[in-house]
Amino acid sequence: MTLTTASVQIPNGDLALDAYLAQPPAPGPYPAIVVIQEIFGVNAHIRAVTDRLAALGYVALAPALFQRTAPGFEVGYSEADTQQGRKYKDLTTASELLGDIQAAIDYLKTLPTVKASPVGTIGFCFGGHVAYLAATLADVGVTASFYGGGITTFSPGGGEPTLSRTAEISGTVYCFFGTEDPLIPNDQVDQVEAALQAAGDRHRVFRYAGAGHGFVCDQRADYRPDAAADAWKKVQDLFRQLQ
């Protein structure tokens, strides 16, 4: 399928957020999904996910969440890249991130190719945490959170851990974790699952035995094709709720 892709800017008060937009070729309208970056910026992996969603019949938008501190930041997966990305992640705050995701949603609503309905979000690593946080927004109907670190232990910028906001989620959340993830202990996954179960039986937590961090990214050493394929099927099932 030939997609329509573009680099766009999203207005957010005094800030203009860079973003990558991918759309199906026909005029639509289509459901919309916000793709939330890892600490590595809106890089080739995030753009590939955005394209993949557009090929399935969604308008997908990936905003640059480090715009305030590192505009244009995009790196790979080396140790140096990881250290730099963590530095910028630590400069984010929950209120700014929520504002950025809401601005992305508001932008999507202005597009004639987007149908009026709740939006979906999908995020990876740092973006998995942000996706869980953004699930508290009223416009978010479905959330796919992949190996979101620190959900049980902190909130960006400080304050009570993001997990404490689970009761504010009105949509449906699917979380995906690897059992061998060195960054997310299994007892933290247990806490996420317990909080989501308490919030409603529509939520799901999926664990992949033997998988580490980043298991759905084919550019990372921890890539697990079988686990990635299974998780992608579950994401498609989730996002069909938007159609």
Side-chain angles (χ1 to χ4, degrees):
M1 177 185 292
T2 301
L3 304 176
T4 301
T5 64
S7 296
V8 300
Q9 287 198 317
I10 302 167
N12 184 16
D14 294 334
L15 181 70
L17 287 171
D18 293 335
Y20 178 75
L21 176 69
Q23 305 184 73
Y30 303 97
I33 297 173
V34 179
V35 182
I36 307 177
Q37 66 175 69
E38 302 169 295
I39 61 172
F40 308 102
V42 182
N43 64 4
H45 168 54
I46 296 301
R47 293 193 299 272
V49 172
T50 308
D51 290 347
R52 195 174 185 185
L53 290 165
L56 290 173
Y58 301 93
V59 175
L61 180 69
L65 298 185
F66 294 163
Q67 190 77 38
R68 292 172 182 82
T69 54
F73 181 70
E74 174 190 338
V75 292
Y77 296 93
S78 71
E79 183 57 33
D81 294 335
T82 300
Q83 293 304 318
Q84 192 67 40
R86 286 175 176 165
K87 170 185 171 183
Y88 295 132
K89 177 207 70 168
D90 290 342
L91 296 176
T92 63
T93 69
S95 61
E96 289 175 346
L97 291 166
L98 285 171
D100 291 346
I101 301 302
Q102 186 62 58
I105 293 169
D106 293 342
Y107 174 86
L108 284 165
K109 288 180 176 180
T110 69
L111 301 178
T113 49
V114 170
K115 75 178 195 178
S117 65
V119 305
T121 67
I122 183 170
F124 306 87
C125 185
F126 162 70
H129 187 141
V130 177
Y132 197 101
L133 177 67
T136 64
L137 295 172
D139 286 318
V140 176
V142 294
T143 297
S145 170
F146 279 87
Y147 32 85
I151 292 171
T152 67
T153 59
F154 77 96
S155 176
E160 291 296 311
T162 295
L163 190 70
S164 67
R165 304 186 63 166
T166 302
E168 301 174 40
I169 297 171
S170 59
T172 300
V173 176
Y174 281 13
C175 289
F176 303 83
F177 297 99
T179 62
E180 302 302 319
D181 190 333
L183 303 179
I184 308 173
N186 287 311
D187 66 322
Q188 292 185 14
V189 178
D190 293 341
Q191 293 174 51
V192 171
E193 187 168 32
L196 287 172
Q197 287 178 342
D201 59 9
R202 65 193 181 279
H203 305 301
R204 298 284 185 274
V205 172
F206 302 100
R207 307 169 192 242
Y208 291 90
H213 197 73
F215 66 86
V216 301
C217 176
D218 62 5
Q219 299 177 31
R220 302 183 71 158
D222 276 327
Y223 178 54
R224 292 287 299 274
D226 291 347
D230 183 82
W232 189 249
K233 290 177 183 177
K234 290 177 170 59
V235 167
Q236 291 180 72
D237 290 342
L238 174 66
F239 285 169
R240 287 191 189 100
Q241 296 181 29
L242 299 172
Q243 295 175 349

